[in-house]
Amino acid sequence: MAATVGFVGLDASSLDMAALLLRSGYKLQAFEVNKPLMDEFLKLGGTSCTSPMAAGKDAAALVILISHVDQINDVIFGTEGVLKGLQRGTIVILHSTVLPLYVQNLEKQLTEDGQTSFLLDAYLYKGMSEVLNGKVMVISSGKSDAIAKARPFLSAMSEKLYVFEGEIGAGSKIKLVNELLEGIHLVAAAEALSLGVQAGIHPWILYDIISNAAGNSWVFKNFVPQLLRGSAQSSILNAFIQNLGVVLDMAKSLAFPLPLLAVAHQQLVLGYTHGADDDTPLIKVWEKIFGVNTVHAASVESYSPEQLASQIIAESKTVSRVGFIGLGAMGFGMAMHLVKSNFCVIGYDVYRPTLIRFESSGGLVGNSPMEVSKDVDVLVVMVTNEAQAESVLYGDLGAVAALPSRATIILSSTVSPAFVTQLEQRLQNEGKDLKLVDAPVSGGVKRAASGELTIMASGTDEALKSAGLVLSALSEKLYIIKGGCGAGSGIKMVNQLLAGVHIASSAEAMAFGARLGLDTRRLFDVITHSGGTSWMFENRVPHMLDNDYAPYSALDIFVKDLGIVARECSSRKVPLHISTVALQLFLAGSAAGWGRIDDAAVVKVYETLTGVKVEGKLPVLKKEVTLQSLPSEWPADPIDDIHRLNQKNLKTLVVLDDDPTGTQTVHDVEVLTEWSVESLVEQFRKKPLCFFILTNSRSLSSEKASALIKDICTNLLTASKSVEIDYTVVLRGDSTLRGHFPEEPDAAISVLGQMDSWIICPFFLQGGRYTIGDVHYVADSDRLVPAGDTEFAKDAAFGYKSSNLREWVEEKTAGRILASSVASISIQLLRKGGPNAVCEHLCNLEKGSTCVVNAASERDMAVFAAGMIQAELKGKTFLCRTAASFVSARIGIIPIPRILPKDLGINKERNGALIVVGSYVPKTTKQVEELQLQYGHMLRSIEVSVNRVAMKSQEEREEEIIKTAEMASIYLAAHKDTLIMSSRELVTGKTASESLEINFKVSSALVEIVRRITTRPRYILAKGGITSSDLATKALEAKRAKVVGQALAGIPLWELGCESRHPGVPYIVFPGNVGDSKALAEVVRSWARPVRLSSTKEILLNAEKGGYAVGAFNVYNLEGIEAVVAAAEEEHSPAILQIHPGAFKQAGLPLVACCISAAEQATVPIAIHFDHGTSKKELVEALEMGFDSVMVDASHLPFKDNISYTKYISILAHSKDMLVEAELGRLSGTEDDLTVADYEARLTDVNQAEEFINETGIDALAVCIGNVHGKYPPSGPNLKLDLLKDLHALSSKKGVFLVLHGASGLSKELIKGCIERGVRKFNVNTEVRKAYMDALSNPKGDLVHVMTSAKEAMKAVVAEKMHLFGSAGKA
């Protein structure tokens, strides 16, 4: 059922709104006492109401016309006022032009009384620009929730909508600014006409030229013809005086100076006193004020300056040689264009580098004005001012003395008409028949270089014909002005008067708008379509908004040009108040030191005086302050509701990912890299909640991306129909707004059909992307930077300016989708209304609309997702353009911890990792720099020259690829993590398509490099979206993958399919724009191959969990080390290399170093243990050598001394995270020449053991239960297993491992019994030593063969022990 809109009070603009609302299908009702207006309303199709109360009854929105403050009480609060019939939730739109203060007071009264929560104002007028001429423009303001609710109505009642969120009253404020400009422009136009006529220029000629030049304004173009024809009456002055008086009163209340408006107001007041009769033509009033007979001048027969120019050019003389003095910004372009037009040009400038540049570009140069003037037909003078013109013509080495007879001078500098007239007379007095053409130019540097200037030339016919071909070559528009020399400068002077005033008035207006609290960029947009606009307003205000004062035209130029105006008006006795005040403003800017920057910097005069900032950039926000200022999140977590709703919805979410980084918030989701109908059918049959299709379309041209999306959507349509499964398409794009929008949505819609709405949702928490108040922000440390002001917005292929998402949509669609028509889901709606409010909002959207989603937390995203699913269950269809966070919220992903190598079981892999960086965003470059800073000593870096692979020959490209692949293969095989990165200089093309082509060449080179690497990496990390996609699909040939999880927040980890070149190798997809500067280094650190796979403590902990023991094998040389490690790798067993003090005395540090190196290179856990340390000195030294653990052997000391000694070493070792083993009791026997006699041996006492463990804090206890070092007696071992059982009960309680020395010679049964009773480490020495010695006693072959046989003999013993201890297969 169509909603009803009520009107209380009608005027012409109300009828315009009503017509548009009816066209959009709304029902209308109105109360109005004026019968003709009501009759017009009824003709449109509305219905009449008897009172304001009746007009508000049952209305979804109510438009109230308030034309005077006195109406407020009766219309709104009266006995039959609108509040009596207003239903709750009705949107109240105040259609008013009263001052903002009254509107704000009314808002306060209504909201505080609880009468309405949705109140806003709307100011309507007709567009006046070419684009919006005659169209209905609505300016509305109010709180964000009111704006969001009212937007459908506002959009329907307007053809161009401007919304100002925040304080109500924006429409009235903009009206003030517009009236300020119109008033100043009106008086400036009158001054310009009067000065021009007094200078002898025909007013219609003046109008025709300036209305197409930089001095034009809407007022000048539309008002001057009425003025000259006498149809403009003086009666309009009173309305202007009243309106400008209101503006001045407002400015006074704000303590804001408006000097230009103040003097304009006074001029209008003066005019009113001269035009007491309202029927007096306004032109007559101006004649009285300025003392100029403009009416007579306008009645004189006119002519066509352009036709005169055509005639002059047709009769012009050939020019052989041109001199050119003044090669500044304008002059250089003009002179070069003459050179390119085949004139012989000799130039001069005081700045020597410019002369060199001119000569190298094909011109001739002279060393003085005199030198360039010899033998020329025409001399062009393009210097800054009259003083410079005088100097180059008549100063030392001046031009006039050297000019040949009958030569012509073209003076293109902006000088006064009087100077030109005097110069012509002086040239005539030279007696050489020298001619002068007065030819000031307009158009700027770019047009000067292309020969497209506007030139206003005057002089004698002979002079003009002599210079005609030169003037024609330099101009797009050439005007020949009658009146002799000085007439051209007269028109330029009048143009500069208007241009200068318009720049200054633009500054005054924008600064005043900023003081009123208006969004200055939006204010600029409104004014450009209104009567206050001017050529200079539209050209210069963007400089003010961007705070960019690079000098296109320096401020001091208007000090000069308006100075000329001031002198001329004084000499001609024409009072020009506006232009004189404008001159003072420019002088103030020059005095402040801004003379050499852009003339738009005159706005700084206002900014400095008042403290306002006109700059239209959105402010950078403090992140924490901003987030904390938002309403509290929706209290209930919607995740369970999402799961429940998804079970009902039965729609598969199909995510078309324009690069692989879109998987950065999900886990246990599949990714397809090809999309044949067969593959899609297979995927749909699995009935997944979601799957991704990797399109990588961001790397393609717009045309190719569109074709690709159409192809995929066609296949999706076919596949889904064959298995009867419904789905929703998400076009996952970059969270910084880069990508093919709207091309991809358009392509999808062309296949899938129109959706109820497009959803735009770039929020991405992990990447620091927030959307607040429809503005998209990128977090940078503790700041929120508007996206349009970041480096992402400057992307060569996908750049943009707008940070406001609604405006971004309009920008990217080139105006096809207007910002005013884009709906919005606010954070207030999400956090106060919850999923049901979201559903209602989505269901009320017009079909085919676009809706942006605000979000500042994962909860916001989940609330939206729940509401969207509800809307889908009601039959609504959506096409989503989102970042990654939406996908995980939509399918109800529950986050899991980041994935580490140990989670995938690859922490034992030894080959190097491959890190490939292709992304060029500045964040990536910073991350690579940080990676190299932190881990450069561990990495091997290879830089691929972008110049060689993208810009040079095929041979150089191939050479670079081969060299890089070979080096990487070698480094990876040597267990070195390897970084391959494109050189960091950014190479771009002249166009977006050229830049994409260069990106493709770089990416394809990286693909070819990875394809040719022969070593299987431990893992692969690809940095950058395009890079990661191309490597996965082209280099690694993956057709599908599973998203395992995230390597770091926002950094997805894939498991490539079995068809890929490296199945099972983890693939880390690292987006170019995610993480802080240390993020890449953090991932590489956490995924680095451990220096050792395990420590003694970890090995024994695993043994305890697994119920087995690990052998600790004494080693003495390299052969022994290699034997133990080789056996461990073959048997997949952990092992401990231990060094006895006796062995250390012989082999020293090299033996330890060999053990460490072997442990680092091993593919199974190997630890290094210092055994039987009896000397405090050697134990302390051992703590610094790289051992994982030490054994403190003080068993020969009394019990208390043993405790003290062991505790001392234990404290030192634990500070280095080393395991400490100690012995209680004493073994008999001999080990490495150390013998303990039988009478010295003693068993471990359980009670002493408890005290010993408590006091020393040891980690492992070597027990004496009848075991011995060396060989057991002929009678065999006599182990006290009951004692061992008691000791195990104690050690288990204390978390201490049991160790048994003297394992050589123990039977299988005894070993098994010891393990069952808690022994986790067996020391093995004698049997391994014997195998070694036996191999040496029967040497075979050379030394190398002896070493090999000895190693094999020891390895066999070690392997046997590993099986015996149960550790085989446990690594």
Side-chain angles (χ1 to χ4, degrees):
M1 183 176 176
T4 298
V5 177
F7 283 80
V8 174
L10 296 171
D11 61 5
S13 59
S14 302
L15 295 174
D16 290 331
M17 287 192 285
L20 291 169
L21 285 164
L22 285 164
R23 193 185 306 166
S24 296
Y26 289 97
K27 292 182 179 180
L28 302 184
Q29 58 193 34
F31 167 75
E32 171 56 58
V33 295
N34 183 296
K35 189 174 184 307
L37 285 172
M38 179 53 76
D39 289 343
E40 287 297 320
F41 183 78
L42 295 174
K43 284 180 186 177
L44 290 173
T47 58
S48 176
C49 296
T50 58
S51 67
M53 179 177 69
K57 187 177 181 182
D58 298 325
L62 182 63
V63 182
I64 305 175
L65 174 65
I66 303 289
S67 55
H68 196 276
V69 178
D70 296 340
Q71 294 177 298
I72 292 175
N73 279 332
D74 289 342
V75 170
I76 296 177
F77 300 105
T79 54
E80 292 190 327
V82 296
L83 290 183
K84 302 293 183 180
L86 209 61
Q87 62 185 14
R88 188 169 183 81
T90 298
I91 301 157
V92 176
I93 302 171
L94 298 176
H95 173 35
S96 170
T97 56
V98 299
L99 284 175
L101 178 64
Y102 297 111
V103 178
Q104 290 159 11
N105 287 339
L106 176 59
E107 178 194 31
K108 185 177 181 182
Q109 188 175 355
L110 288 172
T111 52
E112 283 183 352
D113 292 347
Q115 301 289 348
T116 179
S117 56
F118 301 111
L119 178 71
L120 55 152
D121 71 344
Y123 171 61
L124 183 145
Y125 63 94
K126 295 292 183 73
M128 296 179 180
S129 65
E130 290 184 13
V131 176
L132 295 179
N133 189 31
K135 292 187 176 180
V136 176
M137 296 171 58
V138 170
I139 303 164
S140 184
S141 59
K143 294 177 180 176
S144 58
D145 53 349
I147 290 290
K149 191 171 179 64
R151 189 176 288 275
F153 300 97
L154 295 170
S155 297
M157 68 174 61
S158 64
E159 291 167 291
K160 180 68 176 179
L161 173 65
Y162 292 98
V163 170
F164 291 75
E165 288 188 8
E167 192 176 60
I168 203 167
S172 300
K173 292 175 181 178
I174 289 175
K175 179 174 180 284
L176 296 177
V177 176
N178 189 64
E179 287 174 343
L180 176 154
L181 286 164
E182 288 183 353
I184 294 171
H185 293 174
L186 175 65
V187 177
E191 288 192 359
L193 275 179
S194 300
L195 181 62
V197 169
Q198 192 72 346
I201 303 165
H202 197 294
W204 282 109
I205 300 296
L206 200 66
Y207 173 77
D208 289 341
I209 293 175
I210 290 180
S211 62
N212 291 290
N216 191 32
S217 68
W218 187 91
V219 168
F220 185 90
K221 189 174 185 68
N222 291 275
F223 184 73
V224 166
Q226 298 177 41
L227 193 67
L228 294 176
R229 294 188 185 107
S231 57
Q233 303 299 309
S234 59
S235 57
I236 69 169
L237 292 177
N238 190 44
F240 266 101
I241 291 167
Q242 289 184 9
N243 290 340
L244 298 190
V246 171
V247 179
L248 289 168
D249 287 343
M250 173 63 79
K252 183 180 177 183
S253 71
L254 297 171
F256 194 93
L258 300 176
L260 288 170
L261 183 67
V263 75
H265 184 251
Q266 290 303 305
Q267 282 283 70
L268 293 168
V269 171
L270 178 62
Y272 184 75
T273 63
H274 285 283
D277 183 355
D278 285 348
D279 293 330
T280 304
L282 186 57
I283 189 72
K284 290 293 185 182
V285 173
W286 294 134
E287 283 186 340
K288 291 178 183 178
I289 290 174
F290 297 111
V292 179
N293 194 341
T294 308
V295 173
H296 173 72
S299 66
V300 174
E301 185 179 354
S302 188
Y303 62 93
S304 170
E306 290 178 282
Q307 285 183 7
L308 280 181
S310 298
Q311 294 171 13
I312 290 292
I313 292 168
E315 300 173 23
S316 291
K317 300 173 184 177
T318 303
V319 176
S320 300
R321 186 176 174 90
V322 178
F324 204 108
I325 299 175
L327 300 174
M330 290 279 287
F332 187 90
M334 293 167 68
M336 278 309 307
H337 185 73
L338 289 174
V339 171
K340 292 173 184 176
S341 300
N342 298 318
F343 287 92
C344 176
V345 184
I346 178 168
Y348 170 74
D349 195 274
V350 293
Y351 188 53
R352 185 67 189 169
T354 299
L355 279 181
I356 296 171
R357 179 178 163 218
F358 183 65
E359 187 174 29
S360 66
S361 300
L364 303 174
V365 299
N367 293 315
S368 67
M370 178 178 285
E371 190 173 332
V372 302
S373 301
K374 293 176 182 177
D375 303 323
V376 299
D377 301 310
V378 174
L379 174 67
V380 181
V381 178
M382 185 61 186
V383 292
T384 303
N385 52 39
E386 294 174 3
Q388 289 183 7
E390 174 72 22
S391 176
V392 299
L393 291 172
Y394 287 102
D396 291 339
L397 301 177
V400 171
L403 282 170
S405 297
R406 303 184 64 79
T408 300
I409 298 173
I410 299 175
L411 181 59
S412 289
S413 305
T414 300
V415 295
S416 67
F419 178 85
V420 178
T421 303
Q422 293 168 11
L423 176 61
E424 183 182 38
Q425 185 61 52
R426 291 170 69 186
L427 291 173
Q428 289 173 359
N429 294 339
E430 292 289 329
K432 295 195 291 184
D433 196 18
L434 299 177
K435 296 176 285 295
L436 177 64
V437 174
D438 173 25
V441 301
S442 179
V445 175
K446 188 174 180 181
R447 287 181 172 272
S450 61
E452 297 177 304
L453 291 169
T454 295
I455 299 180
M456 296 146 281
S458 61
T460 64
D461 286 352
E462 186 181 1
L464 290 165
K465 290 174 184 177
S466 298
L469 295 180
V470 174
L471 294 171
S472 176
L474 292 172
S475 62
E476 179 184 43
K477 290 183 179 180
L478 176 61
Y479 299 105
I480 300 298
I481 311 300
K482 290 182 179 181
C485 269
S489 287
I491 287 191
K492 179 68 184 289
M493 173 182 67
V494 174
N495 182 73
Q496 294 303 92
L497 179 158
L498 287 166
V501 170
H502 293 164
I503 294 172
S505 63
S506 298
E508 185 162 297
M510 294 306 296
F512 184 50
R515 181 64 183 85
L516 290 170
L518 293 169
D519 178 332
T520 53
R521 194 169 290 276
R522 206 158 293 168
L523 170 63
F524 168 72
D525 288 340
V526 175
I527 297 296
T528 56
H529 298 298
S530 74
T533 193
S534 66
W535 192 95
M536 280 299 186
F537 182 90
E538 295 179 23
N539 186 268
R540 296 302 202 267
V541 172
H543 302 189
M544 303 175 194
L545 295 174
D546 293 339
N547 197 26
D548 179 7
Y549 299 108
Y552 292 92
S553 174
L555 183 146
D556 274 344
I557 290 176
F558 273 101
V559 173
K560 178 201 70 170
D561 292 355
L562 290 178
I564 291 171
V565 171
R567 289 201 308 273
E568 289 290 313
C569 77
S570 178
S571 65
R572 297 178 187 276
K573 303 299 185 286
V574 180
L576 305 182
H577 300 83
I578 284 280
S579 57
T580 303
V581 172
L583 170 60
Q584 298 308 308
L585 290 169
F586 283 104
L587 275 170
S590 184
W594 305 319
R596 298 179 68 85
I597 61 176
D598 194 76
D599 50 36
V602 70
V603 75
K604 288 176 172 286
V605 174
Y606 292 92
E607 290 180 332
T608 303
L609 282 173
T610 64
V612 303
K613 286 293 180 185
V614 170
E615 184 177 3
K617 289 183 179 178
L618 290 162
V620 174
L621 305 178
K622 292 183 178 179
K623 180 180 173 183
E624 289 305 315
V625 172
T626 301
L627 297 181
Q628 289 173 9
S629 69
L630 299 174
S632 299
E633 291 182 346
W634 181 250
D637 187 348
I639 190 72
D640 291 336
D641 289 338
I642 290 172
H643 291 160
R644 177 178 53 77
L645 290 166
N646 277 328
Q647 289 176 350
K648 292 181 180 179
N649 194 19
L650 300 178
K651 275 190 173 184
T652 296
L653 198 71
V654 181
V655 185
L656 308 190
D657 198 358
D658 69 357
D659 77 6
T661 61
T663 57
Q664 56 203 156
T665 59
V666 301
H667 57 83
D668 299 311
V669 172
E670 289 196 87
V671 180
L672 304 184
T673 66
E674 60 91 28
W675 42 85
S676 65
V677 172
E678 294 76 18
S679 295
L680 294 173
V681 166
E682 179 185 348
Q683 195 68 23
F684 275 130
R685 280 179 175 155
K686 296 178 183 177
K687 296 185 178 179
L689 194 57
C690 170
F691 67 88
F692 281 72
I693 298 175
L694 176 56
T695 69
N696 201 29
S697 58
R698 207 184 305 169
S699 67
L700 304 176
S701 67
S702 177
E703 295 75 16
K704 290 180 179 178
S706 295
L708 179 64
I709 296 300
K710 287 180 182 178
D711 181 46
I712 294 172
C713 288
T714 299
N715 288 3
L716 277 171
L717 203 59
T718 303
S720 65
K721 285 180 179 177
S722 71
V723 292
E724 297 182 348
I725 286 182
D726 201 1
Y727 60 93
T728 294
V729 169
V730 174
L731 297 168
R732 204 295 302 183
D734 180 46
S735 62
T736 59
L737 307 180
R738 296 172 299 166
H740 294 291
F741 180 88
E743 293 84 0
E744 289 187 346
D746 285 340
I749 291 299
S750 70
V751 175
L752 304 176
Q754 184 66 275
M755 302 288 170
D756 285 301
S757 182
W758 287 4
I759 302 297
I760 310 291
C761 182
F763 166 77
F764 177 40
L765 182 67
Q766 292 85 344
R769 320 288 192 248
Y770 301 85
T771 307
I772 302 169
D774 295 338
V775 176
H776 195 52
Y777 294 94
V778 175
D780 181 7
S781 186
D782 61 345
R783 307 181 309 150
L784 292 178
V785 181
D789 296 329
T790 66
E791 71 267 17
F792 305 113
K794 299 176 179 65
D795 188 277
F798 303 111
Y800 56 92
K801 293 181 179 179
S802 303
S803 301
N804 184 291
L805 288 182
R806 296 200 310 269
E807 294 170 6
W808 176 82
V809 170
E810 180 171 335
E811 177 188 346
K812 299 301 285 186
T813 61
R816 188 187 87 203
I817 302 174
L818 297 176
S820 58
S821 71
V822 178
S824 169
I825 290 182
S826 67
I827 287 178
Q828 286 76 10
L829 179 76
L830 293 168
R831 298 189 174 191
K832 293 181 178 179
N836 292 341
V838 171
C839 175
E840 180 185 356
H841 190 94
L842 292 175
C843 289
N844 288 332
L845 293 175
E846 291 185 22
K847 191 171 183 67
S849 62
T850 302
C851 180
V852 302
V853 181
N854 290 272
S857 70
E858 296 282 21
R859 178 66 58 85
D860 293 338
M861 203 73 270
V863 169
F864 172 74
M868 177 180 160
I869 301 170
Q870 287 182 31
E872 286 185 308
L873 287 169
K874 292 184 177 182
K876 294 295 179 179
T877 57
F878 303 101
L879 180 68
C880 307
R881 178 77 179 191
T882 78
S885 290
F886 168 80
V887 178
S888 54
R890 173 63 178 71
I891 61 177
I893 285 281
I894 297 174
I896 60 174
R898 59 186 285 197
I899 305 296
L900 295 171
K902 63 182 181 180
D903 301 319
L904 304 178
I906 67 154
N907 53 324
K908 299 172 186 177
E909 295 284 340
R910 310 309 284 171
N911 280 350
L914 179 61
I915 302 154
V916 184
V917 177
S919 169
Y920 281 98
V921 296
K923 177 169 281 189
T924 290
T925 300
K926 291 177 185 175
Q927 289 172 338
V928 170
E929 289 171 354
E930 186 67 28
L931 171 65
Q932 292 178 316
L933 179 67
Q934 291 192 31
Y935 297 106
H937 61 289
M938 298 169 58
L939 284 172
R940 294 295 179 267
S941 297
I942 309 171
E943 187 174 275
V944 180
S945 169
V946 171
N947 190 40
R948 296 195 75 192
V949 299
M951 311 300 287
K952 297 295 184 180
S953 66
Q954 183 62 32
E955 290 76 15
E956 287 188 72
R957 173 183 168 89
E958 182 67 13
E959 184 181 302
E960 186 78 1
I961 289 170
I962 291 172
K963 179 189 73 173
T964 305
E966 288 178 348
M967 291 174 63
S969 297
I970 293 168
Y971 289 151
L972 293 172
H975 305 171
K976 298 297 182 183
D977 290 351
T978 303
L979 168 65
I980 297 175
M981 62 178 177
S982 52
S983 53
R984 292 292 88 193
E985 77 275 7
L986 178 59
V987 180
T988 58
K990 295 178 182 178
T991 64
S993 59
E994 284 185 14
S995 295
L996 281 174
E997 179 63 22
I998 292 170
N999 290 346
F1000 171 76
K1001 287 183 177 180
V1002 175
S1003 185
S1004 62
L1006 293 175
V1007 165
E1008 196 57 37
I1009 288 167
V1010 174
R1011 282 181 63 85
R1012 297 188 193 187
I1013 291 173
T1014 56
T1015 305
R1016 175 186 169 95
R1018 189 171 75 259
Y1019 71 85
I1020 300 171
L1021 185 153
K1023 186 80 170 77
I1026 295 173
T1027 303
S1028 52
S1029 173
D1030 285 351
L1031 293 189
T1033 58
K1034 299 172 184 176
L1036 302 175
E1037 299 174 5
K1039 292 185 177 179
R1040 61 178 59 229
K1042 180 181 179 182
V1043 185
V1044 179
Q1046 315 300 314
L1048 198 65
I1051 301 168
L1053 171 65
W1054 290 7
E1055 179 184 290
L1056 299 180
C1058 59
E1059 77 289 344
S1060 68
R1061 292 182 69 236
H1062 292 307
V1065 172
Y1067 187 65
I1068 299 174
V1069 179
F1070 202 130
N1073 59 7
V1074 165
D1076 59 19
S1077 61
K1078 297 180 180 179
L1080 179 59
E1082 168 62 17
V1083 171
V1084 173
R1085 183 198 64 77
S1086 62
W1087 278 71
R1089 179 175 59 84
V1091 176
R1092 297 182 205 166
L1093 294 179
S1094 194
S1095 64
T1096 306
K1097 184 180 292 185
E1098 288 173 320
I1099 288 173
L1100 295 183
L1101 275 171
N1102 289 332
E1104 180 67 32
K1105 291 175 185 175
Y1108 59 88
V1110 178
F1113 303 93
N1114 285 68
V1115 293
Y1116 299 85
N1117 54 21
L1118 181 60
E1119 295 95 303
I1121 295 168
E1122 289 184 338
V1124 174
V1125 173
E1129 290 183 331
E1130 287 183 13
E1131 302 301 331
H1132 301 289
S1133 170
I1136 299 170
L1137 299 172
Q1138 61 183 25
I1139 299 175
H1140 193 279
F1144 181 72
K1145 287 175 184 176
Q1146 297 299 319
L1149 280 173
L1151 179 61
V1152 180
C1154 285
C1155 289
I1156 292 172
S1157 179
E1160 289 177 352
Q1161 300 299 319
T1163 59
V1164 294
I1166 302 291
I1168 308 162
H1169 179 69
F1170 186 73
D1171 193 29
H1172 282 289
T1174 56
S1175 160
K1176 186 177 290 187
K1177 178 176 180 295
E1178 65 188 14
L1179 279 166
V1180 172
E1181 288 176 351
L1183 297 180
E1184 304 299 329
M1185 291 181 187
F1187 288 99
D1188 295 294
S1189 53
V1190 294
M1191 181 206 171
V1192 183
D1193 187 357
S1195 58
H1196 57 288
L1197 298 176
F1199 179 65
K1200 291 296 183 182
D1201 292 343
N1202 188 354
I1203 288 176
S1204 176
Y1205 185 95
T1206 303
K1207 182 177 182 180
Y1208 173 79
I1209 298 299
S1210 181
I1211 291 171
L1212 292 178
H1214 284 159
S1215 70
K1216 298 179 179 297
D1217 200 26
M1218 294 170 67
L1219 177 141
V1220 177
E1221 175 188 334
E1223 189 171 50
L1224 190 60
R1226 200 160 192 222
L1227 271 66
S1228 64
T1230 300
E1231 184 172 23
D1232 290 344
D1233 294 333
L1234 297 176
T1235 301
V1236 177
D1238 289 344
Y1239 69 87
E1240 294 178 289
R1242 56 182 178 274
L1243 300 178
T1244 303
D1245 180 272
V1246 175
N1247 293 326
Q1248 281 189 335
E1250 183 169 11
E1251 183 182 352
F1252 187 75
I1253 291 170
N1254 290 339
E1255 291 294 326
T1256 61
I1258 59 169
D1259 307 289
L1261 179 65
V1263 296
C1264 299
I1265 57 169
N1267 46 315
V1268 301
H1269 286 135
K1271 294 181 179 179
Y1272 283 93
S1275 58
N1278 181 23
L1279 303 187
K1280 310 297 184 186
L1281 294 183
D1282 288 343
L1283 174 59
L1284 180 60
K1285 182 179 179 182
D1286 293 339
L1287 288 168
H1288 181 227
L1290 171 66
S1291 66
S1292 298
K1293 185 171 63 175
K1294 300 293 184 180
V1296 171
F1297 306 111
L1298 291 184
V1299 179
L1300 196 69
H1301 292 202
S1304 297
L1306 293 180
S1307 67
K1308 182 178 180 180
E1309 289 73 18
L1310 278 174
I1311 291 291
K1312 184 179 179 183
C1314 289
I1315 293 173
E1316 288 173 351
R1317 290 165 180 80
V1319 172
R1320 298 295 170 248
K1321 173 175 174 272
F1322 285 107
N1323 284 15
V1324 180
N1325 186 5
T1326 303
E1327 291 173 87
V1328 178
R1329 283 161 54 114
K1330 182 177 183 305
Y1332 180 71
M1333 297 301 293
D1334 289 347
L1336 293 181
S1337 64
N1338 297 298
K1340 295 178 182 178
D1342 198 358
L1343 178 59
V1344 173
H1345 302 100
V1346 173
M1347 291 171 65
T1348 301
S1349 62
K1351 184 171 72 173
E1352 290 299 320
M1354 288 188 286
K1355 186 174 78 170
V1357 175
V1358 172
E1360 180 188 353
K1361 294 298 182 184
M1362 288 173 172
H1363 282 278
L1364 186 61
F1365 300 154
S1367 64
K1370 299 298 193 299

